[in-house]
Amino acid sequence: MNWADLNLMPALPEIFMIAAVLVILMLDLFISDAKRCITYGLTLLTIAICAGLQVYTYAPVPEHTFSGMFVNDALSALIKLCMYGATAVVLVYTRQYNETRGLFRGEFFTMSLFALLGMNMMVSASHFVSLYMGLELLSLSLYSLIALQRDSVKATEAAMKYFVLGALASGLLLYGISMIYGATGTMELAGVAKAIKSHNANGMLLVFGLVFIVAGLCFKLGTVPFHMWVPDVYQGSPTAVTLMVGAAPKLAAFVFVLRILVQGLDAMVDQWQGMLALVAVLSMAIGNVTAIAQTNLKRMLAYSTISHMGFLLLGLIAGTADGYASALFYAIVYVLMSMVSFGILLGLSRAGFECETLDDLKGLNGRNSWYAFLMLLTMFSMAGIPPLAGFYAKLSVIKAIVDIHLYWLAIVAVMMSLIGAFYYLRVVKNIYFDDAQDSSAIVMRADMKLVLSVNGLALLVLGVMPERLVVLCVEAMKHSLSAI
Amino acid sequence: MDITTVIFYILSAVLLFAAVRVVTAKNPVHAVLYLVLAFFTSAGHWLLLQSEFLAITLVLVYVGAVMVLFLFVVMMLDINVEKLREGFWRNLPVAATVALIMAFEMVLILTNQHTGLGEFKAAAPLAADASNVKVLGRLLYTTYLLPFELAAVVLLLAMVAAIGLTMRSRKDTKVVDPADQVKIRRNDRVRIVKMQAEKNVEAADAAESGEQQA
């Protein structure tokens, strides 16, 4: 490669974003605390422009650049647009919360943008080195976002745990990658896939590397037995950061797994199918059962996340294009659901009061019936009750599993979903049938109220009319994973 | 035995000596200095392998920056050497066993014919005018341009995060701002409280008796 034929167009949104981050970093120095909303506005504007550029640079045929390290395809475009949306919505939700807790600082916005850039790189990478760099960029931003509330012992502890365990997982992943590199002699995903298919690689070394890679990936997704960080991080972080950790990064992690396992190690599907099936069953079981015992809502949602990631894996286990598309649909719906649930928690929190236990939601219907209804929609959707989006998402991943005749796995998934319904319904019971413990008025900014309503109703709309998004997911998979 | 082999053995002997002295030196400053020697000698090994760039980086980064910083820290700290050495002899048997097992494992792998180490042969000698720096630079700025730029972004983020996490107004500092002190007004320091000159006797009695009962 030389400079003359370096095509920067496919990476235009990322290039714009890094330039914008640098500008915002500089401008923010000259903005006083009272006018911090300028930084906030600029951040949202940056995300909007990036989304525009993303649509502008869309290419139906995958475009490779930077010597095959970066790819712009339909899958990455769809996921990136979702991540821009998720990050923007998270910023809107967290504004009020951050303002009352001294978190409404320039660093919060720049680090969010850094995290978004890292996620973009994870989604668009087609080489182990760029995949890894994107992952580290995301992780480092998240660690520091969690620790940003320096005087909170809980937040510092959560950041420390996440950092140490995250470093360990990165180590596992790198070790696995080095084995794959040793076996195939290349780090480019397409090259790895080709080398494995042509049986030129040492099979023993490949399986050895795969075990470590799957372990590292499971950690990043937060699935059993690598899930221990999830509850502590969700509970310990300020709710605003919990939302940041729980929303868009899940999408990025999903595509990250898809790129490595499906694009790179597709020929080893028999090996990773078994590993993932075990992980999925354990995640659904331990996530759902442990969530029942939680009284802290953030911790409960963390365990619910673990079980949702188990369901997500079902789509990957299927190993078919439809299965991948259903997992993609599940990931998008999951992010929508987690944003509403944490958004409501953020809205109910106020200066000096954290809304984070089950008791805090008691009698919400009497205080504000609209938020109560939105929370009801979310909980029903998470439990998988029709006609909400969560039902359709669960149905499609289970259908993918049934299609490859893994009936036992489908039965386990349905049973686990039944167990999970208990704790989701308990939240609904608290909201509608219990007496309120505090009756203070709920103050929410108008823009947040609007976005939250749209976000909540989207679950209903997607549940009734999922076709549009399903078609998008299937098309994106078809265009991007042309090999399968 | 050609000259490179002789140099290799000399360097290795110095390296081993320095490494042992790092652990056994009584004075921590001496230990750090021996570590510098160990790094410097390993740089010599890199040179023998024709990787002059790595050799120079090792000397510049580790010896020049990291170890000097380390030396400062060691000199600033008041380290009780005797306390650190406690239990040296007690732990020696375990440590020696571990070291022996490790050495044995390495011998096993290196002498085994079935490990396929033969596939990884020594690199062919480079031409006299071959430049490591040029090759590395070309790779970094062409093929690996994207990861290289991303690494720069990660470093920038690390800097922003470090500043964001440490730059804060601490509640427990006793720093005073002279300008603020000069500008002080009476109203900032003195609060005038209006209260009744006499208090209601009956109410006060009732309150007192209430306290006694409690």
Side-chain angles (χ1 to χ4, degrees):
Chain A
M1 189 191 105
N2 58 46
W3 280 96
D5 55 37
L6 178 63
N7 181 11
L8 290 175
M9 277 310 276
L12 193 59
E14 283 77 20
I15 294 170
F16 175 78
M17 196 187 291
I18 183 66
V21 173
L22 298 180
V23 171
I24 292 176
L25 260 179
M26 290 308 292
L27 279 181
D28 186 63
L29 291 176
F30 300 98
I31 295 176
S32 69
D33 268 341
K35 290 184 191 149
R36 199 60 73 195
C37 47
I38 298 177
T39 319
Y40 168 77
L42 281 176
T43 310
L44 285 183
L45 184 69
T46 306
I47 296 178
I49 295 178
C50 284
L53 290 175
Q54 196 68 55
V55 175
Y56 171 67
T57 56
Y58 172 73
V61 183
E63 281 183 323
H64 290 265
T65 184
F66 287 114
S67 344
M69 298 225 174
F70 187 95
V71 62
N72 179 24
D73 53 13
L75 175 65
S76 67
L78 174 65
I79 287 282
K80 276 186 211 168
L81 284 177
C82 292
M83 291 191 311
Y84 295 139
T87 310
V89 170
V90 167
L91 288 179
V92 173
Y93 285 176
T94 53
R95 177 173 179 178
Q96 196 179 346
Y97 181 92
N98 285 350
E99 276 173 342
T100 55
R101 277 164 185 76
L103 276 174
F104 201 65
R105 290 159 51 183
E107 287 87 14
F108 187 86
F109 300 110
T110 40
M111 286 201 263
S112 304
L113 283 180
F114 273 124
L116 189 56
L117 185 69
M119 288 189 265
N120 271 1
M121 284 301 165
M122 282 165 77
V123 166
S124 262
S126 53
H127 191 284
F128 276 126
V129 175
S130 43
L131 273 168
Y132 179 72
M133 292 308 297
L135 177 69
E136 284 305 292
L137 187 54
L138 168 67
S139 309
L140 198 58
S141 339
L142 291 184
Y143 304 146
S144 24
L145 270 174
I146 295 171
L148 205 52
Q149 211 174 31
R150 263 295 298 276
D151 295 319
S152 154
V153 179
K154 261 165 60 184
T156 317
E157 185 192 320
M160 202 61 210
K161 273 183 188 159
Y162 193 20
F163 177 68
V164 173
L165 288 175
L168 182 74
S170 292
L172 288 180
L173 191 67
L174 274 186
Y175 189 57
I177 290 175
S178 76
M179 289 295 150
I180 300 284
Y181 177 57
T184 60
T186 173
M187 285 201 278
E188 211 171 338
L189 291 179
V192 168
K194 220 162 97 188
I196 299 177
K197 280 211 179 88
S198 61
H199 300 291
N200 277 339
N202 182 336
M204 187 77 163
L205 213 52
L206 278 178
V207 176
F208 190 65
L210 180 72
V211 174
F212 282 94
I213 286 190
V214 168
L217 294 180
C218 285
F219 177 90
K220 296 296 172 193
L221 274 179
T223 47
V224 181
F226 307 98
H227 65 293
M228 285 320 295
W229 62 275
V230 183
D232 290 339
V233 168
Y234 271 50
Q235 188 184 2
S237 323
T239 312
V241 182
T242 310
L243 178 55
M244 194 67 97
V245 174
K250 296 288 173 203
L251 282 173
F254 165 68
V255 181
F256 189 71
V257 174
L258 199 75
R259 292 251 184 239
I260 292 184
L261 291 187
V262 177
Q263 282 197 311
L265 305 171
D266 184 36
M268 306 181 69
V269 62
D270 292 337
Q271 276 97 353
W272 55 255
Q273 224 169 21
M275 298 181 203
L276 288 189
L278 185 70
V279 170
V281 169
L282 283 176
S283 302
M284 288 187 292
I286 293 181
N288 276 325
V289 173
T290 321
I292 293 175
Q294 305 307 321
T295 51
N296 184 302
L297 202 55
K298 278 159 82 179
R299 212 173 170 80
M300 190 199 91
L301 286 172
Y303 280 107
S304 127
T305 305
I306 295 171
S307 78
H308 280 298
M309 289 302 126
F311 273 101
L312 186 79
L313 286 182
L314 292 182
L316 286 175
I317 292 165
T320 56
D322 280 343
Y324 302 143
S326 67
L328 177 59
F329 182 80
Y330 200 106
I332 294 174
V333 170
Y334 167 73
V335 169
L336 281 176
M337 296 191 295
S338 73
M339 284 198 302
V340 187
S341 51
F342 282 107
I344 301 246
L345 292 191
L346 285 171
L348 296 183
S349 301
R350 53 181 184 270
F353 171 72
E354 289 281 342
C355 172
E356 57 174 18
T357 64
L358 279 171
D359 291 344
D360 292 338
L361 282 184
K362 276 186 177 167
L364 180 61
N365 187 39
R367 293 166 68 195
N368 187 320
S369 55
W370 179 239
Y371 300 142
F373 176 67
L374 289 178
M375 197 64 173
L376 168 101
L377 281 184
T378 318
M379 287 300 133
F380 276 7
S381 177
M382 281 193 175
I385 293 173
L388 291 150
F391 165 72
Y392 192 82
K394 278 204 167 78
L395 181 73
S396 53
V397 287
I398 292 176
K399 183 175 168 294
I401 283 294
V402 171
D403 280 347
I404 60 158
H405 309 297
L406 274 177
Y407 298 115
W408 67 271
L409 198 54
I411 293 171
V412 170
V414 173
M415 299 298 287
M416 290 308 158
S417 147
L418 205 62
I419 296 176
F422 169 75
Y423 60 89
Y424 295 125
L425 291 181
R426 186 171 56 184
V427 174
V428 174
K429 178 214 140 214
N430 273 2
I431 292 175
Y432 280 92
F433 301 110
D434 285 346
D435 294 327
Q437 290 186 332
D438 85 283
S439 50
S440 48
I442 301 168
V443 188
M444 221 184 268
R445 294 176 58 92
D447 52 350
M448 174 170 173
K449 219 182 277 183
L450 179 73
V451 178
L452 193 63
S453 308
V454 172
N455 189 348
L457 291 177
L459 291 176
L460 191 61
V461 174
L462 274 179
V464 180
M465 301 182 289
E467 296 84 12
R468 281 294 244 322
L469 188 57
V470 171
V471 169
L472 266 182
C473 292
V474 172
E475 287 297 311
M477 281 297 165
K478 262 189 201 147
H479 282 298
S480 309
L481 309 175
S482 47
I484 48 170
Chain B
M1 199 144 73
D2 58 353
I3 183 76
T4 29
T5 322
V6 175
I7 296 177
F8 172 78
Y9 279 117
I10 294 174
L11 285 178
S12 304
V14 175
L15 178 59
L16 284 177
F17 167 73
V20 170
R21 287 299 287 151
V22 171
V23 195
T24 54
K26 278 213 156 55
N27 188 332
V29 176
H30 291 177
V32 173
L33 289 176
Y34 276 114
L35 195 56
V36 169
L37 178 62
F39 278 137
F40 196 80
T41 325
S42 349
H45 275 139
W46 279 123
L47 274 182
L48 282 183
L49 288 169
Q50 301 186 311
S51 324
E52 72 274 8
F53 180 71
L54 287 176
I56 294 166
T57 319
L58 190 64
V59 172
L60 279 183
V61 176
Y62 273 94
V63 178
V66 178
M67 291 321 292
V68 170
L69 211 64
F70 214 75
L71 205 56
F72 274 130
V73 174
V74 169
M75 284 175 171
M76 299 257 199
L77 293 179
D78 182 23
I79 300 172
N80 186 350
V81 186
E82 282 313 308
K83 206 165 184 187
L84 283 179
R85 307 192 142 266
E86 255 175 40
F88 178 82
W89 289 107
R90 194 157 39 90
N91 293 329
L92 188 65
V94 184
T97 321
V98 171
L100 271 180
I101 293 177
M102 270 161 49
F104 178 66
E105 284 172 343
M106 274 154 86
V107 169
L108 262 190
I109 292 178
L110 291 174
T111 56
N112 191 339
Q113 299 300 319
H114 302 291
T115 45
L117 280 177
E119 285 179 35
F120 304 98
K121 290 201 175 60
L126 298 172
D129 58 346
S131 163
N132 251 296
V133 185
K134 220 179 208 168
V135 176
L136 272 174
R138 180 163 294 153
L139 269 182
L140 275 186
Y141 285 100
T142 57
T143 314
Y144 291 91
L145 177 65
L146 181 70
F148 186 68
E149 296 291 334
L150 278 178
V153 177
V154 170
L155 285 180
L156 174 67
L157 167 67
M159 200 164 81
V160 173
I163 295 172
L165 291 182
T166 46
M167 270 264 292
R168 62 192 173 125
S169 49
R170 296 177 63 117
K171 287 174 194 132
D172 50 352
T173 51
K174 299 195 168 55
V175 175
V176 287
D177 184 1
D180 276 350
Q181 288 184 314
V182 172
K183 275 191 290 188
I184 202 83
R185 305 248 155 220
R186 191 198 65 176
N187 288 346
D188 298 336
R189 293 264 167 95
V190 183
R191 189 163 58 97
I192 297 184
V193 183
K194 283 244 165 30
M195 57 192 293
Q196 279 179 320
E198 45 192 84
K199 62 180 175 181
N200 191 338
V201 181
E202 279 172 28
D205 278 353
E208 265 174 35
S209 62
E211 271 170 30
Q212 279 167 2
Q213 277 168 12

